[in-house]
Amino acid sequence: MGEVAARFAGIVGEVNLLTGDRISEDYAHDESLTSEPRKPAYVAKPGAPGEVAALLVAAGEHGVPVTARGSGSGMSAAARPREDGLLISFERMNKVLEIDTGNQVAVVQPGVTLAELDERTAEAGLAYTVFPGELSASVGGTVGTNAGGMRAVKYGVTRHNVLGLQAVLPTGEIIRTGGKTSKISTGYDLTQLIIGSEGTLALATEVTVKLFPRLPHGATLLAPFGDLRQVMEAVPGIVSSGLAPNILEYIDNLTMAAISYNEQLSLGVPDEIQQATQAYLVVGLENRDAGRLDGDVARAGELLAELGASDVYVLEGGSARKLIEAREKAFWAAKSAGADDVIDVVVPRSEMPGFLEKTRETALAAESGAIGCGHAGDGNVHLAIFCKDREKRHRLLHDIFADAIARGGAISGEHGIGAAKKRYFLDLEDPAKVALMRRLKHAFDPGGILNPGVLFD
Amino acid sequence: MGEVAARFAGIVGEVNLLTGDRISEDYAHDESLTSEPRKPAYVAKPGAPGEVAALLVAAGEHGVPVTARGSGSGMSAAARPREDGLLISFERMNKVLEIDTGNQVAVVQPGVTLAELDERTAEAGLAYTVFPGELSASVGGTVGTNAGGMRAVKYGVTRHNVLGLQAVLPTGEIIRTGGKTSKISTGYDLTQLIIGSEGTLALATEVTVKLFPRLPHGATLLAPFGDLRQVMEAVPGIVSSGLAPNILEYIDNLTMAAISYNEQLSLGVPDEIQQATQAYLVVGLENRDAGRLDGDVARAGELLAELGASDVYVLEGGSARKLIEAREKAFWAAKSAGADDVIDVVVPRSEMPGFLEKTRETALAAESGAIGCGHAGDGNVHLAIFCKDREKRHRLLHDIFADAIARGGAISGEHGIGAAKKRYFLDLEDPAKVALMRRLKHAFDPGGILNPGVLFD
Ligand SMILES: Cc1cc2nc3c(=O)[nH]c(=O)nc-3n(C[C@H](O)[C@H](O)[C@H](O)COP(=O)(O)OP(=O)(O)OC[C@H]3O[C@@H](n4cnc5c(N)ncnc54)[C@H](O)[C@@H]3O)c2cc1C
Ligand SMILES: Cc1cc2nc3c(=O)[nH]c(=O)nc-3n(C[C@H](O)[C@H](O)[C@H](O)COP(=O)(O)OP(=O)(O)OC[C@H]3O[C@@H](n4cnc5c(N)ncnc54)[C@H](O)[C@@H]3O)c2cc1C
């Protein structure tokens, strides 16, 4: 074992320090479709914040770049390690430390998965409402990417639901930010700065999240529309209705076909309606009271019809769950259909019709495909891009992102920039902002050891 | 006119640059009770972002410290200028630029007051839900302090409701952060970093805020409790009930007496109950449906009784409004009663009983008074401190803040640190965090011209 490896092993214990062949393929990538796997020189599995701090100090002294890894389900290659680097995997720091019902918060270690947190909060009648499509994702990873997901339309994204952190600075100090309160005006908000920084500023070793009462009654409506533009135009109407849907997704017809096929989903929509449908809207409602839910479902049904839906289906428990699960797996359907990239542009809600129309034209002109679905309530459009030629695809993505930005949107709503979308970010973002962000990065990480190559070159 | 004044006047026009006697007393202070008024050397009233940028560049070149001012209703002396400084007053940049109903956002200049924004959003059936007690406050000022207020228990604080900014960096660049979308994972969140930075990092020249449907039906419940501890213990029960109150305040008996007297308020609570009351809980409910509101009021009444209220009064329109208004004026009541300071500690909700008990003891031991009210749903306790002796008061506040921090809270929930609470902040905050914040400050403001003496020395 080399000197550096021995130093790391001294910190986490030999069994928790992997090198060479002991490093499995899994650690070499996340779920980005465009980044080649890359095995790191070292994988360390710390068991405590102090070990993380010691690893960072050691890495700093030896000039070893460090990448944090939760579950590796990210889409931006931000958890993909460097070949000469140390991958810090939080898999052993996976305890739910506290479910605090009085304050309605949970305190967890970063390696806890969303699936486990969901189970544990359910026992207390509470819920952590950040649900990206992949529940194997770790809480630390969602802090890294500022993950969103379907419920964000009602409950907000990670940023709105993480109240505090324990975090290790690249210089080795362990700090606490925020706490079990949802308001603090006492200095700069370090919690918010670390959230969404994709492992480039500090590593979270403990996360305090906000919980909500788990509402017992829910319903899912499926509304086919003859016209994609109409779907998009319906969205603001539903948001402003006061019905406060907890899910508001659109799925275009090709994506619906792909996920229905992949998941053997049958929704009971007659063939002739399916054929005349360009896109579907999925509306989730929930309530603590069954009668009120019924009232809301009726009102939502009327509203959808007024807004141009060709029909409205109220899905029962089992098929509702299946539809949502299938929608969450849209990524796998796209992947198995041969998609060359997946993007998650965000634009103001009202810009979605124009953006999607323009994107369709741009893709067509490039002899490429761009189909998708998305968190329509948030203006967050997920598109599977079909375009084998790399240079052509770069130009296509550049044009799509530029259009989104021109409409007041951004390259990514929830997946992050990572390494995968960096060239577009550096090309299209205001240089004054990028320069400022670099200075902030330097203020946290003067040695530049945390995730170099992510966000910046 | 001196050289520097001439330069500033050249930017904003002579009529918009005040010096000497043309500077009124108003510009010398905010509403902090402990900071001596201090007239600045210059007051400039820019009319456009470009003028703000030019002022900052000029100030930088001449080494003139710059303080931003909205309406001067802040509580932390963060808008109090330096004697040798330039005060940039945003009073002329006071236009509502857009009420965008499709995206449910408003775009405003920073000098717009909350009262005006409330009027303008009402016309569209929408509301900006950040309501600190002082509606003359400017949107820019609320960005500066991360203002909260009564509705934060349901809708969050400024941080949760500002989606984007146009901001001028102290180096003169004009940047745009965020936008008309509620989720973005594209680089560091500069919006969130600027919010709550009390004019020390960048100046907001345009603010994009989230709006919510204005719910037409509301009710206010007033519940006297025999015991302060019981009030505090009731709070988590109401939060977790799923009733989602939009107001959840406590008012102790002395404060209630003071505001009732000041505002000539009569709530119809019989004398014998008043005398047996240690504190009141005020619960606001709202709904888009009148029937559902009635159901919620009934449920809330039962719940309050179960939780130990000695009675529950459902206040009608006029007296409900009066009570809320009187509560908002608690600060003026405290001031006219001779309070020596007002603080707004935040602790986890469940820590409120212990914190208040301890604070009462600490104040008693110091032969001082600490009475108050607060945003109980958020753990945000507003206390009027009665203690004439300055050194004694410093020790008392130090002990109260230290106790709040030990309980997982912070010095300020919404008023900010400013200059008024700086010594406690620098004393009690983790030095590693303060050092990091200083580095962030330097990354924004290498010349140190923005609000020196606020937050840091
Ligand atoms: C099928 C599928 C569906 C998905 N749907 C969604 C969706 O709807 N919404 C959405 O937002 N995302 C979605 N994702 C993406 C992914 O689930 C999220 O990005 C998630 O946040 C990643 O968590 P992870 O633990 O896998 O993180 P990783 O991929 O391991 O890491 C992500 C980033 O976080 C950093 N990081 C990890 N741990 C820490 C830590 N402790 N401290 C600081 N930084 C850390 C990493 O360095 C990296 O930059 C989906 C992914 C898949 C495969
Ligand atoms: C009776 C009363 C009740 C109150 N109740 C509450 C309450 O319930 N909740 C609460 O949170 N606050 C409350 N406050 C405090 C106050 O209203 C808020 O702090 C408000 O945010 C101040 O707004 P302002 O425009 O007066 O800001 P100012 O006092 O002018 O400035 C506040 C800070 O913001 C900075 N600033 C101003 N404009 C800008 C800009 N454009 N860009 C960047 N920084 C800027 C200033 O430099 C300063 O640091 C109350 C005050 C009073 C008098």
Side-chain angles (χ1 to χ4, degrees):
Chain A
M1 196 184 285
E3 184 204 343
V4 180
R7 175 112 187 249
F8 294 151
I11 295 165
V12 294
E14 261 183 49
V15 58
N16 296 313
L17 196 268
L18 313 180
T19 56
D21 287 348
R22 286 182 64 211
I23 298 177
S24 78
E25 200 51 46
D26 240 21
Y27 293 117
H29 64 86
D30 66 0
E31 293 298 342
S32 156
L33 290 181
T34 56
S35 309
E36 289 300 307
R38 209 160 61 181
K39 273 201 184 182
Y42 322 91
V43 173
K45 307 179 191 176
E51 292 180 16
V52 176
L55 285 171
L56 288 180
V57 170
E61 283 170 20
H62 293 282
V64 176
V66 177
T67 297
R69 180 192 162 93
S71 302
S73 75
M75 299 285 212
S76 71
R80 185 179 67 145
R82 300 256 300 212
E83 267 149 6
D84 55 347
L86 164 67
L87 186 71
I88 298 187
S89 170
F90 283 100
E91 64 203 87
R92 287 178 61 229
M93 292 177 68
N94 63 352
K95 309 222 168 15
V96 174
L97 300 173
E98 193 186 355
I99 306 277
D100 172 343
T101 54
N103 293 305
Q104 281 192 190
V105 302
V107 183
V108 305
Q109 289 189 315
V112 167
T113 65
L114 295 176
E116 191 189 348
L117 185 53
D118 191 50
E119 234 173 68
R120 293 293 303 282
T121 52
E123 292 162 12
L126 296 169
Y128 179 54
T129 52
V130 173
F131 282 92
E134 184 59 54
L135 292 191
S136 72
S138 72
V139 174
T142 59
V143 167
T145 65
N146 185 27
M150 292 202 205
R151 323 275 172 106
V153 66
K154 177 168 178 187
Y155 293 103
V157 299
T158 302
R159 178 172 304 297
H160 307 112
N161 290 284
V162 168
L163 302 179
L165 297 173
Q166 183 194 59
V168 182
L169 302 182
T171 36
E173 296 100 330
I174 302 179
I175 62 171
R176 285 196 173 273
T177 71
K180 289 180 173 181
T181 66
S182 55
K183 66 197 301 189
I184 292 188
S185 287
T186 303
Y188 306 145
D189 196 322
L190 302 174
T191 312
Q192 292 295 332
L193 190 52
I194 294 170
I195 294 173
S197 66
E198 302 189 79
T200 65
L201 296 183
L203 303 190
T205 45
E206 199 183 290
V207 186
T208 301
V209 300
K210 193 169 171 178
L211 305 177
F212 283 90
R214 195 174 281 257
L215 302 182
H217 306 286
T220 304
L221 287 79
L222 176 67
F225 282 75
D227 183 72
L228 184 58
R229 190 166 189 108
Q230 239 177 355
V231 170
M232 293 303 158
E233 286 170 356
V235 168
I238 296 162
V239 172
S240 65
S241 67
L243 286 166
N246 65 331
I247 292 178
L248 185 46
E249 298 282 311
Y250 91 92
I251 307 176
D252 72 17
N253 54 353
L254 286 172
T255 303
M256 186 62 110
I259 64 178
S260 301
Y261 177 81
N262 250 44
E263 303 294 319
Q264 313 203 339
L265 190 69
S266 164
L267 296 164
V269 181
D271 275 2
E272 66 279 12
I273 292 199
Q274 279 190 40
Q275 275 147 26
T277 294
Q278 269 199 10
Y280 298 80
L281 215 53
V282 182
V283 181
L285 296 170
E286 55 174 9
N287 211 293
R288 66 190 161 85
D289 180 284
R292 289 187 182 188
L293 179 67
D294 290 345
D296 285 355
V297 168
R299 175 76 197 101
E302 287 163 21
L303 189 60
L304 284 163
E306 283 164 29
L307 293 167
S310 33
D311 212 336
V312 179
Y313 302 86
V314 180
L315 303 182
E316 307 289 317
S319 50
R321 215 188 48 243
K322 270 192 201 138
L323 171 62
I324 299 301
E325 282 172 10
R327 157 66 189 92
E328 283 174 340
K329 294 196 174 114
F331 168 71
W332 304 115
K335 189 173 175 180
S336 73
D340 301 295
D341 205 348
V342 164
I343 62 176
D344 89 303
V345 164
V346 63
V347 293
R349 242 170 1 237
S350 67
E351 292 289 336
M352 277 193 294
F355 170 73
L356 281 177
E357 213 154 89
K358 180 79 188 288
T359 295
R360 191 194 277 169
E361 284 164 22
T362 314
L364 218 63
E367 295 167 312
S368 307
I371 67 162
C373 53
H375 309 311
D378 296 319
N380 193 190
V381 176
H382 292 244
L383 292 171
I385 305 293
F386 296 83
C387 176
K388 290 273 162 278
D389 184 87
R390 181 190 282 245
E391 269 321 302
K392 212 177 185 180
R393 193 170 72 235
H394 282 322
R395 275 196 305 281
L396 174 61
L397 288 192
H398 182 281
D399 292 347
I400 294 176
F401 292 142
D403 182 51
I405 292 170
R407 293 174 191 275
I411 294 174
S412 170
E414 53 181 30
H415 291 166
I417 296 298
K421 302 293 185 291
K422 179 177 58 176
R423 63 183 286 175
Y424 310 103
F425 173 65
L426 295 179
D427 258 20
L428 293 167
E429 187 56 275
D430 173 5
K433 276 169 72 180
V434 173
L436 176 58
M437 289 184 196
R438 279 184 200 276
R439 295 197 299 274
L440 297 176
K441 161 77 176 167
H442 189 77
F444 271 85
D445 184 16
I449 61 161
L450 272 189
N451 238 0
V454 161
L455 276 180
F456 314 111
D457 283 320
Chain B
M1 194 183 287
E3 185 203 345
V4 179
R7 174 110 187 249
F8 293 152
I11 294 166
V12 294
E14 262 184 48
V15 56
N16 296 313
L17 195 268
L18 313 180
T19 56
D21 287 347
R22 289 182 62 211
I23 298 176
S24 78
E25 201 51 47
D26 240 21
Y27 293 116
H29 64 88
D30 66 1
E31 294 298 343
S32 156
L33 290 181
T34 56
S35 309
E36 288 300 306
R38 206 161 62 183
K39 273 202 188 181
Y42 322 91
V43 173
K45 308 180 192 174
E51 292 179 18
V52 177
L55 286 171
L56 288 180
V57 169
E61 282 170 19
H62 293 282
V64 176
V66 177
T67 297
R69 179 190 162 96
S71 303
S73 75
M75 300 285 211
S76 71
R80 186 178 66 143
R82 300 256 300 212
E83 269 150 4
D84 55 346
L86 164 67
L87 185 72
I88 297 186
S89 169
F90 284 101
E91 63 202 87
R92 287 178 62 229
M93 292 176 67
N94 63 352
K95 308 218 170 19
V96 174
L97 300 173
E98 194 186 354
I99 306 277
D100 173 345
T101 54
N103 293 306
Q104 281 192 192
V105 302
V107 183
V108 305
Q109 290 189 316
V112 167
T113 65
L114 295 177
E116 191 190 346
L117 185 53
D118 191 49
E119 234 174 70
R120 294 293 303 281
T121 52
E123 293 162 13
L126 296 168
Y128 179 53
T129 52
V130 173
F131 283 90
E134 184 57 54
L135 292 191
S136 72
S138 72
V139 173
T142 58
V143 167
T145 65
N146 185 28
M150 293 203 204
R151 324 275 172 107
V153 65
K154 177 169 177 187
Y155 293 103
V157 298
T158 301
R159 180 173 300 300
H160 306 112
N161 289 285
V162 168
L163 303 178
L165 298 173
Q166 183 194 59
V168 182
L169 302 182
T171 37
E173 296 100 329
I174 303 177
I175 61 170
R176 284 195 173 275
T177 70
K180 291 181 174 180
T181 66
S182 55
K183 65 199 297 191
I184 292 188
S185 287
T186 303
Y188 306 145
D189 196 322
L190 302 173
T191 312
Q192 293 295 332
L193 190 52
I194 294 170
I195 294 173
S197 66
E198 302 190 80
T200 64
L201 296 182
L203 302 188
T205 44
E206 199 183 289
V207 186
T208 301
V209 301
K210 193 169 169 176
L211 305 177
F212 284 90
R214 195 175 281 258
L215 302 182
H217 306 286
T220 304
L221 287 80
L222 176 67
F225 282 75
D227 183 72
L228 185 57
R229 191 167 187 105
Q230 240 177 354
V231 169
M232 293 304 158
E233 287 170 355
V235 169
I238 294 161
V239 172
S240 65
S241 67
L243 286 166
N246 65 330
I247 293 178
L248 185 47
E249 298 283 311
Y250 91 93
I251 306 177
D252 71 18
N253 54 352
L254 286 173
T255 304
M256 185 62 109
I259 64 178
S260 300
Y261 177 80
N262 250 41
E263 303 292 320
Q264 316 205 334
L265 191 68
S266 163
L267 295 165
V269 181
D271 276 2
E272 65 278 14
I273 293 200
Q274 279 189 41
Q275 275 146 26
T277 294
Q278 269 200 9
Y280 297 80
L281 214 52
V282 181
V283 181
L285 296 170
E286 54 173 10
N287 211 295
R288 66 190 161 83
D289 180 285
R292 289 188 182 187
L293 179 67
D294 290 344
D296 285 355
V297 168
R299 175 77 198 97
E302 286 163 23
L303 189 60
L304 284 163
E306 284 164 29
L307 292 167
S310 35
D311 210 338
V312 179
Y313 303 87
V314 180
L315 302 183
E316 308 289 316
S319 49
R321 215 190 45 243
K322 269 192 204 136
L323 171 62
I324 299 301
E325 282 172 10
R327 157 65 190 92
E328 282 173 343
K329 294 195 175 116
F331 168 71
W332 305 115
K335 189 174 174 178
S336 73
D340 300 294
D341 204 349
V342 165
I343 61 175
D344 88 304
V345 163
V346 63
V347 293
R349 245 176 351 244
S350 67
E351 293 289 336
M352 277 192 295
F355 170 74
L356 281 177
E357 214 154 88
K358 179 76 187 289
T359 295
R360 192 193 277 168
E361 285 164 22
T362 314
L364 218 62
E367 296 167 314
S368 307
I371 67 162
C373 51
H375 310 310
D378 296 319
N380 192 190
V381 176
H382 293 243
L383 292 171
I385 304 293
F386 295 83
C387 176
K388 290 274 163 276
D389 185 87
R390 182 190 281 244
E391 269 320 302
K392 211 177 187 183
R393 195 170 70 235
H394 282 321
R395 274 196 306 279
L396 173 62
L397 288 191
H398 183 282
D399 292 349
I400 293 176
F401 292 143
D403 182 52
I405 292 171
R407 293 174 192 273
I411 294 173
S412 170
E414 54 182 30
H415 290 166
I417 295 299
K421 303 293 184 290
K422 179 177 57 176
R423 62 184 284 176
Y424 310 103
F425 173 64
L426 295 179
D427 259 21
L428 293 167
E429 186 56 274
D430 173 4
K433 275 169 72 180
V434 174
L436 175 59
M437 289 184 196
R438 279 185 200 276
R439 295 197 299 274
L440 297 177
K441 161 77 175 168
H442 188 76
F444 271 85
D445 185 15
I449 61 162
L450 273 188
N451 238 0
V454 162
L455 277 180
F456 314 111
D457 283 319

